[in-house]
Amino acid sequence: MEKIKAEIYRKTDEMRMRNLMGIMTLTDRISIESYRHLVREGKNGEDTVEIWTDAFNAALRDHQTVAIPGGDIPYYIDGTIIVPSNRCIVCEEDTVIRQTIGTEIILMRNENAADGSNMPMVRGNEDVNISILGGHWEESYTSRLGYRKSGKYDNTETFMGVSTLMFFSNVKGLTVRDVTFANTAGFSLQAGDAEDMWFERIRFLNCFADGLHINGNTENILIRDVKGHVGDDIVALNMYDWKNSSVNFGPMRTVLCEDVELDEASGYKAFRVQPGQYKFADGSVVDCTAEDIIIKNVRGMISYKLYFQTPAYKIGVEEPEWGGVGSGKNLFFEDITVDLAHPIDRFDGYENSDPVRGNMGVFEIGANIQNISFENINVTLHYDKYPMSYLLTVGPKSSLIGDGLETEVFDPYLSSSVGNVVLKDITVNGKKVTDYSDIVKTVKFSDINSDGRSTGEGIIENISVC
């Protein structure tokens, strides 16, 4: 396992150096001020402002590196900035690029962004060597709007599963550093079908959905020093996802994610890793696996979700969205502190410690994982209020909602298995763990919804404590 970790560090560092070298080759530089003649007047709510959309797109068509000076007045954008290959946007510390009020489409995407939701992506025309360095990139919202209401790919919703401020798909060599996102109603950044992605020193100010939303068919990812306030997962590694949340499905391999801190005021304190199985339009199935991933030095979260989940469905009336338990191997969680003060999802079954449905864990697995390691994990569990709290749960989940408890939130019919679990330097309520029997739970359901599709089981083949 230590050799595998060392290889993840080596590959992600080599990727970082490749991206740096790519940025250094972009010597054709221009200031956006040289394109001021393309600025036009437009509306931002009731105010008349300067609109820079055309200027940004022209500068990026013509030059490799575009410098955006700072100042007191934002650069207002009322459309989508298109970024071709071999481009770098460099912003000063006080540069603000702000989407105009009422704009419902994405602020930025790469030129050859592609939709991989109906069939596997065919590589060959991907964009390469794109970097965004610095700047405040903002929407003008005050709450989360929901899918297909903001951050759409375009006004005709050509790509249904896009809901973000920045979108990158079909790209190799993407760097986003020293960037602040603010007031985003959807995801701040969504990416997939990509190789060599480096995100560092990312900040979120008053954002309302996921921060970094990374989807499938991705490889060599470095995420480092990510902090701030979001309304959902600050980092979501969703190799599988719902159709309204992704257009990129497939494996995710070689990820180093470290130094992540969620603001205490954030409403949803979760970190998501979601493997699963996805069916393309022709009926072929891809296993969206999670492989060779290190998640290290994370603060502010109370839940780490590693389970497949479909959208909620009405029992006996609706069929769950098609999908299946995903797989993974060589997952490492290190240097993490968690106070499980309450359930991440405040459903009655958890709040009232339902004897069948009320199990909750800091780490919840609903996938077929070969090897998973937890090292230097410090957990507080509140047994007095939530006696069914655990460090780790494996197996299906179930919560019923609605006036008649007719809607199932999770997928209690799914079974999963973990081959090998390593617990090293684990502390629970101030005591070092030597016996895992009280902190690890395998969950088993037997037709709990009386619908013929609510029987599932979690299995752990081996656990070692050191």
Side-chain angles (χ1 to χ4, degrees):
M1 295 287 278
E2 291 301 318
K3 290 182 178 180
I4 294 170
K5 285 169 56 177
E7 189 71 358
I8 296 170
Y9 280 106
R10 182 187 68 80
K11 286 183 177 180
T12 52
D13 193 57
E14 288 181 353
M15 175 274 293
R16 183 182 64 86
M17 293 303 299
R18 284 195 299 271
N19 284 17
L20 275 176
M21 294 299 294
I23 294 170
M24 292 173 64
T25 66
L26 305 179
T27 56
D28 172 25
R29 183 181 177 112
I30 195 77
S31 171
I32 194 65
E33 288 291 338
S34 297
Y35 285 79
R36 176 172 278 280
H37 61 284
L38 295 178
V39 173
R40 51 187 167 80
E41 284 192 350
K43 286 293 185 179
N44 182 54
E46 297 298 320
D47 298 328
T48 299
V49 297
E50 293 183 333
I51 303 295
W52 286 79
T53 311
D54 299 336
F56 272 69
N57 280 321
L60 286 165
R61 282 195 304 269
D62 297 344
H63 297 278
Q64 293 177 327
T65 298
V66 178
I68 317 296
D72 297 331
I73 302 175
Y75 297 86
Y76 285 98
I77 306 295
D78 65 352
T80 298
I81 299 168
I82 309 297
V83 186
S85 291
N86 294 306
R87 294 296 187 269
C88 179
I89 299 174
V90 182
C91 300
E92 294 181 359
E93 186 175 353
D94 58 347
T95 300
V96 176
I97 300 93
R98 182 177 298 162
Q99 191 177 69
T100 53
I101 294 171
T103 302
E104 296 181 352
I105 60 175
I106 53 178
L107 183 141
M108 176 183 289
R109 68 169 174 88
N110 58 298
E111 183 176 35
N112 290 307
D115 185 350
S117 56
N118 290 322
M119 64 184 68
M121 189 79 70
V122 177
R123 294 294 178 88
N125 71 329
E126 63 264 31
D127 292 308
V128 299
N129 190 24
I130 291 174
S131 54
I132 316 297
L133 308 181
H136 284 239
W137 300 81
E138 302 181 354
E139 292 183 353
S140 300
Y141 293 105
T142 57
S143 65
R144 184 169 185 171
L145 294 189
Y147 304 112
R148 308 176 77 178
K149 295 182 179 179
S150 72
K152 297 183 292 187
Y153 184 80
D154 54 26
N155 285 317
T156 60
E157 297 185 84
T158 304
F159 297 6
M160 188 185 81
V162 174
S163 179
T164 189
L165 182 71
M166 291 185 181
F167 176 66
F168 300 97
S169 173
N170 192 35
V171 63
K172 182 175 182 178
L174 171 67
T175 300
V176 180
R177 292 191 350 240
D178 301 294
V179 163
T180 296
F181 295 96
N183 306 317
T184 53
F187 309 140
S188 294
L189 184 147
Q190 181 178 349
D193 278 293
E195 298 178 41
D196 292 3
M197 295 193 291
W198 174 20
F199 308 99
E200 186 157 359
R201 291 185 297 279
I202 307 298
R203 299 294 181 264
F204 301 103
L205 300 178
N206 203 36
C207 295
F208 304 108
D210 289 355
L212 298 179
H213 186 90
I214 312 301
N215 290 127
N217 205 21
T218 46
E219 185 170 6
N220 295 334
I221 305 168
L222 174 59
I223 301 170
R224 178 182 287 150
D225 191 1
V226 176
K227 299 178 181 179
H229 181 284
V230 295
D232 209 332
D233 309 314
I234 189 169
V235 175
L237 304 179
N238 288 15
M239 46 290 300
Y240 161 87
D241 211 335
W242 298 351
K243 291 183 179 181
N244 61 8
S245 306
S246 179
V247 295
N248 312 106
F249 302 88
M252 183 181 295
R253 299 187 175 100
T254 312
V255 179
L256 172 58
C257 178
E258 61 181 357
D259 303 331
V260 178
E261 185 175 344
L262 182 66
D263 187 272
E264 176 64 26
S266 296
Y268 199 75
K269 299 177 172 61
F271 192 115
R272 170 76 83 168
V273 180
Q274 187 170 213
Q277 296 182 41
Y278 179 79
K279 183 183 291 184
F280 291 110
D282 65 358
S284 62
V285 175
V286 60
D287 188 2
C288 306
T289 64
E291 301 181 9
D292 300 343
I293 297 174
I294 298 172
I295 296 171
K296 181 177 182 180
N297 191 25
V298 182
R299 299 292 182 271
M301 258 58 72
I302 66 171
S303 179
Y304 293 78
K305 299 180 169 188
L306 290 85
Y307 52 82
F308 171 85
Q309 183 181 0
T310 62
Y313 58 93
K314 290 186 177 181
I315 299 170
V317 177
E318 299 174 327
E319 290 290 314
E321 185 174 289
W322 191 93
V325 168
S327 65
K329 64 179 181 179
N330 307 326
L331 308 182
F332 304 88
F333 293 85
E334 301 180 359
D335 304 336
I336 292 172
T337 297
V338 174
D339 182 352
L340 188 56
H342 59 80
I344 185 64
D345 299 306
R346 307 299 289 261
F347 300 125
D348 287 346
Y350 303 126
E351 292 287 3
N352 300 325
S353 299
D354 181 277
V356 178
R357 308 176 203 262
N359 302 290
M360 63 181 196
V362 172
F363 299 93
E364 298 187 331
I365 299 178
N368 297 321
I369 307 294
Q370 292 184 26
N371 298 301
I372 188 165
S373 172
F374 303 93
E375 181 176 352
N376 191 25
I377 311 295
N378 186 352
V379 171
T380 300
L381 301 177
H382 298 264
Y383 293 124
D384 56 338
K385 189 171 183 180
Y386 302 108
M388 300 173 69
S389 300
Y390 300 92
L391 169 74
L392 171 66
T393 62
V394 176
K397 292 169 62 67
S398 174
S399 290
L400 302 182
I401 60 173
D403 292 340
L405 300 180
E406 73 279 4
T407 299
E408 173 63 75
V409 176
F410 299 105
D411 303 274
Y413 51 88
L414 296 176
S415 296
S416 55
S417 174
V418 179
N420 185 52
V421 177
V422 175
L423 303 177
K424 183 178 180 181
D425 294 331
I426 308 297
T427 302
V428 175
N429 294 345
K431 296 181 180 179
K432 185 174 181 179
V433 170
T434 57
D435 178 7
Y436 64 83
S437 58
D438 291 334
I439 62 169
V440 175
K441 175 71 174 180
T442 54
V443 179
K444 183 176 182 179
F445 294 153
S446 180
D447 199 20
I448 57 169
N449 291 336
S450 301
D451 61 351
R453 64 154 74 245
S454 51
T455 296
E457 181 179 8
I459 297 172
I460 299 176
E461 296 179 6
N462 180 66
I463 300 181
S464 59
V465 179
C466 50

